[in-house]
DNA sequence: GTATAACCGAGACGGTACGTCCAGTCTTCGG
DNA sequence: CCGAAGACTGGACGTACCGTCTCGGTTATAC
């Protein structure tokens, strides 16, 4: 557990007995990730992390405000995500490939953390904000590159807002990941991207004369979504 | 949860023994809903529900496996959702109006329960399943009517799977609700539906000669989404 | 408990309505005894009795004020105690034999109920009183016959109060039964009775000149008993 | 219960980590005793103890397996028993005085705990064992000193087993305390000790020719004790 | 016969305590 | 003076049992 020490010797500014804390930090993150591979965030306890890391619980709470934040840090620091960031010359192809690889990862044990972070965020606004800043936006920025390439190339209509583009592509998958309805296979990823690009509209459809009648608000139960 | 039971009530020859107290049931659901209007699901305790309902905690646990299920029941039984189920003659218009009204509701206090149910489901598979069956599918079935009208009318391409249609329309909103990135205004709803119908593709785009180069898998951190 | 009722049956003008089910009563007592053979009084629940007797819990509580009373009734009605009530011509021998047989019974599964009744009585004065009246005094009256024979025969000093005699003989055994210190073998029974008859005093002991010094009250911990 | 620990305290090299809070321990025992002065052991709840002691329930259950053990500890630690441990020069006088003072105490509010401990022990063997070891034997050892003095002085027959002596003296009182038959006055204490010393046997009684007839086992109900 | 009690089985209910669990904080000592 | 060890508070959890209650249905006497 304390093996890494040797590696870090190199550029460590030598303070008297101070490099201990970095070691503890590392051990905590590592232990957290290992535990999260086997249990859900809810079931991983701070005690378990401390025990496994050979660290005091107080040390954990010294640097992190709560368990979720530790998990977020552990995830960000420890996970080298094998996700495609393709550049095929076609934005649609790029997104398709990326969505496939992303889906594959997010259905894996560790990938499920994404859902658990979202879940945790529902009762902890500060955490959700942190999750957005440090996790979500980073990935979205990367994805926006693919989008921009498509726009620059004249492949994607420039009128459409980039955020909407991303949410249209990733939203359906996220929804399915979280709610568990609908499959997450490669062919679904393909179909989603294809439909997002092509649109729902039948091009030869002739819109009838404007019907201004507004749909009446119906008072009924369980009608929407 | 005990839906079947309810159905059997109809012609059931009255059961022996004291009947389940409808009063207690009602009081529990009502109290739960009232508490959920002020606190998040996580913070509402079984004790609080029992106290407010003037009911024994044992009675709650007799009929529900945990408080999440009570909350789901309370929500389904108690919430008469004021959501548009419009029929304007145009599927796009229908979806736009519906998305607006849905967004308005889901950002309200009680509507936030949707997010909390999803969150709860991440660490309780049984609950998530129940949530899908009793909440999600009901709403999706209703929404599919609007979609089918669009298809029948020749407005929506029949080649596209209905579930994908729904996820493309609702997914982005759900994503934003849960992750809190991106606004949920009426104009966003309009833009989303418009883009879903129109597609991203620039129609006059000429696809260049096939480029078979597959996007290289890049080993990097935080690259996707 | 409701014994009086039974006595009144005789000339009672038959009451209107359905009569108390003797079957139910019997079944309850029988079931109770069977359960008490395997579990302690504390662990036998009213539900278990009702279930085993094929009877409603309400029926139990209609006729008995609580579980302990049921158990007492069950014991009194159902246990045919095989205890010697000897008449050998010698009071000491009578008591010795009786104490042996009593000890044998009270260390048996069902005999242990005696201890449990005593225990229950410590937090239920009404029950303890009932236990005394219906259980204890009956047995003591019987034992007093042996004592009186001894007195009449000139074997036992007539100056000694009968109740003290009984408590001196049975007290040690009861104490051991309840506290679990000290053995309960036949030889112990013999020794106890012999010592009770012979007394502790060494007959040739010459009491020294009266020492009126009263033992000082010592304030100390755990000094007595 | 944790006696061993206490013994080791002496030269124990201080343990790592936060030490057990003596404050909490004291508060718990004190609160327990105060509550027991007003309510029976059965009615005193762990919650009440925790609340009164200003302590978390978890802390109680960390150090004691159940509330009975807490009560035993509280009693042993907190009760400075004012019981005579007299030394008058006469064993009979010693026992008489001691029995009086013991009876006085055991009929007091706190003294009643003795009965409740015995009661609790009937459905908790581990507790009963603990009660014997820590409460009963300590007192008996002390009482044996009085007995031995009597033997050494030639006052008490050396042939009689010390444990039987004690049970003969204390058994009747314990029996009366628990079953509630018979008075517990000073004169009873005197009479008991006097009779134990003098024996039941009428000294001028001429035993008739041996009658070997063994008392027939009578099958009858409620015959003994 | 028909009304009218009083009973009974089934089983839901309020109440109360239980003993467990975990988050997050606080205290002590060793290096 | 930092950090491990670990005890502590607070509060929810879900369970268990008690004794009561309500229901539909079942005998029995009384009219």
């Amino acid at each position: 557990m304390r093996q890494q020490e040797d590696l870090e010797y190199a550029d460590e500014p030598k303070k008297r007995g101070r490099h201990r804390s970095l070691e503890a930090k590392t051990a905590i993150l590592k232990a957290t990730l290992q535990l999260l591979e086997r249990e859900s965030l809810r079931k991983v306890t701070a005690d378990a992390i401390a025990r496994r890391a050979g660290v005091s619980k107080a040390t954990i709470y010294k640097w992190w405000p709560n368990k979720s934040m530790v998990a977020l840090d552990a995830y960000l620091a420890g996970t080298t995500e094998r996700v495609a960031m393709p550049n095929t010359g076609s934005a649609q192809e790029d997104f398709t490939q990326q969505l496939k690889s992303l889906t594959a990862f997010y259905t894996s044990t560790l990938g499920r953390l994404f859902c658990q972070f979202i879940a945790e965020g529902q009762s902890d606004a500060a955490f959700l904000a942190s999750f957005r800043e440090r996790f979500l936006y980073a990935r979205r920025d990367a994805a926006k590159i693919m989008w921009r390439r498509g726009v620059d190339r004249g492949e994607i209509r420039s009128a459409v807002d980039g955020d909407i583009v991303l949410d249209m592509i990733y939203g359906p998958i996220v929804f399915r990941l979280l709610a568990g309805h609908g499959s997450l296979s490669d062919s679904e990823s393909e179909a989603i991207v294809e439909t997002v690009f092509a649109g729902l509209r039948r091009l030869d459809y002739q819109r009838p004369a404007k019907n201004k009648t507004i749909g009446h608000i119906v008072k009924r139960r369980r009608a929407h979504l």
Side-chain angles (χ1 to χ4, degrees), chain A residues 148-181:
Chain A
R148 181 145 298 284
R149 278 201 301 254
V151 173
D152 292 346
R153 211 183 286 128
E155 189 180 352
I156 294 175
R157 291 193 291 129
S158 58
V160 185
D161 178 48
D163 284 315
I164 288 187
V165 170
L166 296 188
D167 288 337
M168 267 171 56
I169 293 173
Y170 300 118
I173 292 294
V174 168
F175 193 7
R176 290 187 178 191
L177 268 167
L178 286 161
H181 69 286

Side-chain angles (χ1 to χ4, degrees), chain A residues 7 13 18 35 37 52 56 60-61 91 105 113 115 131 138 156-157 163 172 175 182 188 203 209 219-220:
Chain A
L7 301 176
R18 288 294 289 273
L35 289 169
E37 269 162 22
R52 186 178 192 101
S56 160
I60 297 178
Y61 284 105
F105 179 71
L113 263 177
C115 296
F131 171 76
I156 294 175
R157 291 193 291 129
D163 284 315
F175 193 7
E188 295 289 330
L203 294 179
K219 179 172 180 179
R220 64 199 304 278

Side-chain angles (χ1 to χ4, degrees), chain A:
Chain A
M1 184 189 306
R2 273 148 225 283
Q3 270 78 336
Q4 282 70 5
E5 232 174 65
D6 308 327
L7 301 176
E8 291 161 16
Y9 268 157
D11 53 338
E12 191 82 7
K14 55 205 182 290
K15 276 184 188 173
R16 296 180 41 183
R18 288 294 289 273
H19 45 75
R20 191 106 177 102
S21 77
L22 187 64
E23 206 190 314
K25 223 168 186 168
T26 314
I28 290 166
L29 296 179
K30 190 177 158 198
T32 304
L33 213 53
Q34 286 174 342
L35 289 169
L36 285 171
E37 269 162 22
R38 285 185 279 125
E39 298 273 21
S40 80
L41 178 51
R42 285 284 285 271
K43 287 196 173 173
V44 171
T45 69
D47 282 278
I49 295 173
R51 204 177 321 124
R52 186 178 192 101
V55 142
S56 160
K57 227 180 352 160
T59 305
I60 297 178
Y61 284 105
K62 168 151 199 168
W63 279 315
W64 290 276
N66 52 49
K67 189 177 66 173
S68 315
M69 283 296 200
V70 182
L72 183 55
D73 265 18
Y75 183 81
L76 294 178
T79 311
T80 302
E81 294 170 352
R82 284 195 153 272
V83 174
M85 185 58 187
N87 186 2
T88 61
S90 154
Q92 180 172 345
E93 185 62 26
D94 286 357
F95 277 121
T96 304
Q97 287 187 15
Q98 217 241 342
L99 205 56
K100 285 180 189 175
S101 106
L102 181 150
T103 304
F105 179 71
Y106 280 1
T107 47
S108 73
T109 327
L110 218 50
R112 280 283 171 197
L113 263 177
F114 172 82
C115 296
Q116 296 176 31
F117 287 146
I118 292 275
E120 192 59 31
Q122 298 316 302
S123 54
D124 182 348
F127 176 76
L128 189 58
S130 201
F131 171 76
R132 276 196 305 267
E133 299 298 334
R134 305 181 51 207
F135 185 110
L136 205 57
Y137 291 156
R139 280 149 186 76
R140 287 176 77 87
D141 287 347
K144 273 187 184 165
I145 295 172
M146 296 193 298
W147 161 70
R148 181 145 298 284
R149 278 201 301 254
V151 173
D152 292 346
R153 211 183 286 128
E155 189 180 352
I156 294 175
R157 291 193 291 129
S158 58
V160 185
D161 178 48
D163 284 315
I164 288 187
V165 170
L166 296 188
D167 288 337
M168 267 171 56
I169 293 173
Y170 300 118
I173 292 294
V174 168
F175 193 7
R176 290 187 178 191
L177 268 167
L178 286 161
H181 69 286
S183 86
L184 292 159
S185 65
D186 278 3
S187 62
E188 295 289 330
S189 294
E190 280 171 20
I192 288 170
V193 177
E194 165 55 27
T195 314
V196 168
F197 270 77
L200 300 182
R201 189 137 59 216
R202 195 160 142 188
L203 294 179
D204 55 351
Y205 173 64
Q206 286 293 57
R207 197 160 190 170
K210 274 277 177 187
N211 179 356
K212 273 297 186 188
T213 316
I214 272 190
H216 43 291
I217 300 281
V218 192
K219 179 172 180 179
R220 64 199 304 278
R221 293 175 159 221
R222 300 164 217 174
H224 59 104
L225 191 61

